[in-house]
Amino acid sequence: MVKISVVTPSVRPEGLDIVEQSLKRQTFPKDQFEWLVITPPPFPKQFDAVKDFQLDKQWFQEPTKREGDMYRLNGAWNKGFKEARGELIISFVDMTWAPPDALENFWMHYEDNPKSLVGGVGHQYGEVQNGKPEILVWQDPRARLDQGSFYPISGIDLEFCLTSVPKQAIIDLGGFDEEFDKYAALSEKEFSLRAEKAGYICYLDQSIEYRALKHGRLSADWDKRYEAGCVYLQKCIHELNENMRLKLKYVSS
């Protein structure tokens, strides 16, 4: 029985190995989670005809870019959400390493509170050594010492690098807003704010400390797209506050 669906949208197939090796080391039972990877074509090398009995993994093609899109990250996330069989979804992006008990801890939080979205804390590292990012180059500003290791946060502070979200929340909210594919980042902020409006609570668990490999931006106009995205996010927040926005139509039951 699949309890957890790990969803990895990726345009960097070279960054999938770190995720795969992390998943193979998980303490959560291997027959109770699946790994869904969503990429543009071609078919990633890791998903060739060789059967891997250590992981239940599937590949899906990323939706085609539309006019004005910078990328199809949110379309890829939604594709993974639709295909997911688990009742808990873990967003686990490429070029990211997770500790062996990450899935186990996410599941524990979900059992304690099925209305929770839980994020880990992640720093960035300069290179990979023996399958693990090493040499710290950037620290997560969300890391703090005054709240203990597990505490509620605003949805605006939730990142989906390594984060759990109940599939029911995705159904309740209709998935990520794919209009954000025109902009840089921010879509998970908007989703998490809608989740809060729907009665879900966002948390940070600092004991789930992931490591991200530092990488360049996908577009030369990233800053310009980010600034435009901030304007769109403010519009979304206004609509949410006016009860004009909650459930979208990208993902249904």
Side-chain angles (χ1 to χ4, degrees), residues 6-251:
V6 178
V7 174
T8 302
S10 175
V11 293
R12 294 176 284 259
E14 71 278 5
L16 292 172
D17 283 340
I18 301 175
V19 179
E20 181 166 20
Q21 294 309 311
S22 293
L23 292 176
K24 286 179 177 179
R25 291 192 298 268
Q26 291 299 303
T27 56
F28 197 76
K30 298 291 188 298
D31 61 347
Q32 294 182 22
F33 74 88
E34 62 179 356
W35 184 31
L36 311 182
V37 176
I38 306 92
T39 76
F43 199 68
K45 181 174 62 176
Q46 293 92 332
F47 291 76
D48 59 21
V50 178
K51 177 66 176 177
D52 184 346
F53 291 97
Q54 292 182 277
L55 284 179
D56 179 353
K57 59 185 183 180
Q58 301 179 66
W59 174 79
F60 299 95
Q61 184 170 319
E62 180 183 276
T64 303
K65 278 187 180 181
R66 307 157 303 182
E67 183 177 357
D69 284 340
M70 185 184 79
Y71 52 20
R72 285 297 270 139
L73 173 62
N74 298 289
W77 257 320
N78 283 338
K79 175 64 176 177
F81 297 157
K82 291 173 188 175
E83 299 290 345
R85 294 178 292 161
E87 57 185 289
L88 181 65
I89 290 174
I90 310 294
S91 174
F92 192 156
V93 301
D94 59 19
M95 293 188 168
T96 302
W97 173 95
D101 60 353
L103 266 59
E104 184 178 353
N105 286 331
F106 280 130
W107 183 256
M108 175 192 69
H109 290 310
Y110 172 68
E111 286 192 310
D112 287 345
N113 181 5
K115 300 280 282 187
S116 63
L117 284 69
V118 181
V121 171
H123 310 303
Q124 293 181 7
Y125 295 78
E127 63 183 55
V128 176
Q129 298 177 7
N130 299 318
K132 184 177 182 181
E134 300 284 4
I135 308 178
L136 181 67
V137 296
W138 179 86
Q139 289 185 292
D140 191 333
R142 299 174 302 163
R144 53 193 295 177
L145 299 174
D146 60 335
Q147 296 288 328
S149 63
F150 181 72
Y151 48 90
I153 60 171
S154 166
I156 205 74
D157 292 323
L158 197 63
E159 303 279 351
F160 267 65
C161 296
L162 184 66
T163 292
S164 69
V165 53
K167 184 163 186 182
Q168 188 59 51
I170 292 166
I171 293 170
D172 290 345
L173 299 169
F176 277 25
D177 183 353
E178 295 184 19
E179 284 298 299
F180 278 99
D181 282 339
K182 298 176 181 177
Y183 311 113
L186 300 170
S187 58
E188 69 267 39
K189 314 294 188 182
E190 188 273 343
F191 175 86
S192 300
L193 291 173
R194 282 191 288 126
E196 288 182 325
K197 189 80 169 180
Y200 291 85
I201 304 174
C202 300
Y203 294 92
L204 206 61
D205 185 347
Q206 292 198 98
S207 72
I208 305 175
E209 185 175 312
Y210 60 89
R211 296 187 174 206
L213 183 64
K214 187 174 178 59
H215 54 272
R217 291 175 171 175
L218 292 173
S219 171
D221 61 348
W222 181 274
D223 290 338
K224 182 179 178 181
R225 297 266 192 169
Y226 180 81
E227 290 171 4
C230 288
V231 174
Y232 181 63
L233 176 60
Q234 289 304 313
K235 176 179 179 292
C236 295
I237 292 173
H238 173 74
E239 291 177 354
L240 187 60
N241 290 338
E242 295 295 319
N243 297 316
M244 298 164 55
R245 178 186 187 87
L246 185 64
K247 183 171 184 177
L248 307 182
K249 297 181 179 181
Y250 294 103
V251 179

